[in-house]
Amino acid sequence: MTARLIDGKAHAEALRARIATDVAALKASHGVVPGLAVVLVGEDPASQVYVRTKGHQTLDVGMASFEHKLAADTSEADLLALIARLNADPAVHGILVQLPLPGQLTPNTVILAIDPDKDVDGLHPVNAGRLAQAAPGDPLDFPVSCTPLGCLMLLQDTLPSLRGLDAIVIGRSVLVGKPVAQLLLREDCTVTMAHSRSRDLAALCRRADIVVAAVGRPGMVGGDWIKPGATVIDVGINRVALPDGKTRLVGDVDFAAALEVAGAITPVPGGVGPMTVACLLHNTVRAAWKRVGAK
Ligand code: GUN
């Protein structure tokens, strides 16, 4: 059997088209243009690429994009002052501070300074708490971290129902593993949270109808770990060196082997990645609707 490929690019494109319609409706009904502020401190090349992509896609769906590029030696006081200004700015509905930050800045202090209703990254402890408290059936009417939300959307588009399915989440990070597990619990999955210290990970994985791999170890999840027909969401983005000196992006799943066993699988690149930015735009337009008191 060869698994169905879950085309993250196509899903993200469809989501952006729905967002563009929603942005136009908000403009027409309330005269409001959703605005996303992205703050980049320093010159990390990968972060510069992400920020550029976010800026282009924000404009493409009809939203306003505000980019703030700060020097690598920016003090915490200066960054917090900028966040305070963005919190108070009515044209800004979403604020994202690109991570990682240079060493003199403490990510938790910075994230805590963002107004939770503008925290379109879903990283503020208030939003993490809202997700932890969301029961099945409760609306997700607050920002949910973008990569986990993207994983959920891909699963919902791939499977007729998530109810009662056995899911394993490999990786317990605050950014991905924990929120993905909470989202799947809210969908009535039976969730196993596994990690690097779990005993017999392969056997745990083989029981799962849904595998979400977010460990950051290239190809760790073997084909023989996958239950035939399972749905595999690979969150890993690992750059590996090839014998010819070039590099290649691979996920946490041995893609070629899993393809033969799984029912459906996300490729890397082109799976979860494109959904992350689309979900950022989704959170921003939702924040703008919430501000006008609708939806
Ligand atoms: N750097 C890499 N991924 C992310 C993300 O999802 N949010 C933020 N703020 N920074 C990142």
Side-chain angles (χ1 to χ4, degrees), residues 47 50 54 96-100 111 121 123 146-147 175 276:
S47 292
Y50 288 137
K54 285 167 190 167
L96 176 137
V97 178
Q98 184 68 28
L99 302 175
I111 289 163
D121 238 354
L123 299 181
C146 304
T147 298
L175 266 176
T276 299

Side-chain angles (χ1 to χ4, degrees), residues 256-293:
L259 195 62
E260 297 304 315
V261 191
I265 185 168
T266 57
V268 177
V272 176
M275 288 299 287
T276 299
V277 184
C279 287
L280 177 69
L281 305 179
H282 167 87
N283 282 341
T284 305
V285 73
R286 301 301 309 162
W289 274 108
K290 202 171 168 184
R291 176 101 64 79
V292 300

